[in-house]
């Protein structure tokens, strides 16, 4: 994790129950979910296997151990989980190059949160080596804290990453807004007790209690997030 962590109770959005915003990375801020699937297809083609497109919905948004493990079992490929993890991370790094396409509204939202001193964390199931590469496109200055999937014992869909991020920012999870694009990430955030804004990238996500579904980050701004906390409080 990065270590630029504000003291508990500081940098809270003034006049609002919103204490922090926690954001997923792949498919939420950066348009990379398709990149991961393309790399998985290429790696398994090199192993002599063709991936069924329907499996994309199974592996999206999850930790690499789960996604890679599923694909090994589904294809019967002769490769270990550790070996496949290296190939997938290497393939993704080679594909993303120097810059990444941001999702519509991502740059504006990050700038707005920073301008209003809202504590913000990046919470991803991707490994640290991948997060650090992607941060060059997102701007590390936008995040007081980052949590990688290989830095927690249990990553998404377990609540641990979001609980760790909230704690690091000195925030109550119930007063954090999480922005996610997959059911796996939504499950993790909701298990942590956060209010979720879902921006589906690959598979549909239905609205629910403490869960608001939008079609794009262009619909999300600071007044919108503060409003969610107010509705929950009432």
């Amino acid at each position: 994790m990065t270590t630029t962590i504000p003291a508990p109770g500081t940098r809270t959005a003034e006049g609002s129950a919103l204490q922090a915003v926690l954001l997923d990375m792949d498919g939420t801020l950066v348009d990379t979910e398709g990149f991961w699937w393309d790399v998985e297809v290429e790696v398994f083609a090199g192993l002599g296997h063709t991936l069924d497109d329907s499996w994309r919905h199974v592996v999206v948004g999850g930790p690499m151990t789960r996604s890679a493990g599923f694909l090994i079992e589904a294809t019967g490929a002769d490769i270990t989980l550790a070996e496949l993890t290296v190939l997938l991370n290497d393939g993704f790094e080679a594909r993303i190059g120097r810059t990444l396409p941001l999702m519509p509204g991502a740059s504006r939202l990050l700038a707005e949160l920073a301008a209003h001193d809202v504590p913000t964390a990046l919470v991803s199931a991707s490994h640290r080596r991948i997060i650090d590469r992607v941060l060059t496109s997102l701007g590390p200055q936008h995040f007081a804290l980052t949590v990688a999937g290989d830095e927690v014992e249990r990553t998404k869909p377990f609540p641990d990453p979001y609980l760790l991020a909230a704690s690091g920012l000195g925030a109550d999870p119930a007063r954090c807004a999480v922005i996610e694009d997959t059911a796996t990430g939504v499950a993790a955030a909701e298990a942590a007790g956060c209010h979720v804004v879902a921006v589906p990238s690959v598979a549909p996500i239905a609205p629910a209690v403490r869960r608001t579904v939008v079609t794009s980050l262009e619909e999300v701004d600071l007044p919108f997030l503060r409003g969610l906390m107010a509705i929950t409080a009432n």
Side-chain angles (χ1 to χ4, degrees), residues 3 40 90:
T3 55
E40 288 160 347
D90 286 348

Side-chain angles (χ1 to χ4, degrees), residues 155-170:
T155 189
K156 305 173 188 179
F158 293 100
D160 305 35
Y162 283 113
L163 291 174
L164 180 61
S167 175
L169 294 174

Side-chain angles (χ1 to χ4, degrees), residues 19-228:
Q19 289 186 338
V21 177
L22 317 177
L23 301 110
D24 174 55
M25 187 176 76
D26 293 299
T28 299
L29 292 176
V30 288
D31 192 7
T32 50
E33 290 293 9
F35 286 14
W36 279 113
W37 178 247
D38 290 344
V39 169
E40 288 160 347
V41 168
E42 290 174 3
V43 168
F44 276 89
L47 297 171
H49 298 275
T50 300
L51 300 188
D52 190 311
D53 195 60
S54 65
W55 296 342
R56 182 175 181 178
H57 297 289
V58 179
V59 301
V60 67
M64 185 170 291
T65 51
R66 187 196 73 182
S67 301
F70 168 82
L71 293 174
I72 290 173
E73 182 175 356
T75 61
D78 184 18
I79 189 171
T80 67
L81 183 60
E83 290 169 338
L84 180 56
T85 296
V86 171
L87 290 178
L88 292 176
N89 277 325
D90 286 348
F92 183 80
E93 282 196 87
R95 181 171 288 269
I96 62 177
R98 288 180 173 269
T99 60
L100 280 168
L102 302 190
M103 298 299 287
S107 181
R108 187 265 314 152
L109 177 60
L110 291 175
E112 182 181 12
L113 295 174
H116 289 84
D117 290 329
V118 178
T120 304
L122 185 68
V123 184
S124 176
S126 291
H127 290 187
R128 169 55 58 188
R129 60 181 284 197
I130 299 300
I131 287 182
D132 287 345
R133 284 290 302 276
V134 175
L135 277 172
T136 61
S137 293
L138 287 174
Q141 72 276 9
H142 290 123
F143 306 98
L145 180 69
T146 64
V147 178
D150 56 342
E151 295 174 338
V152 289
E153 184 174 348
R154 302 186 309 172
T155 189
K156 305 173 188 179
F158 293 100
D160 305 35
Y162 283 113
L163 291 174
L164 180 61
S167 175
L169 294 174
D172 178 355
R175 294 174 69 181
C176 292
V178 169
I179 304 180
E180 274 280 359
D181 72 304
T182 68
T184 299
V186 166
E190 290 181 341
C194 304
H195 192 118
V196 179
V197 177
V199 193
S201 62
V202 176
I205 299 174
V209 176
R210 294 181 63 83
R211 182 197 309 166
T212 302
V213 180
V214 298
T215 59
S216 167
L217 286 181
E218 294 182 317
E219 300 176 43
V220 181
D221 56 16
L222 186 52
F224 175 89
L225 296 173
R226 286 175 171 168
L228 295 180

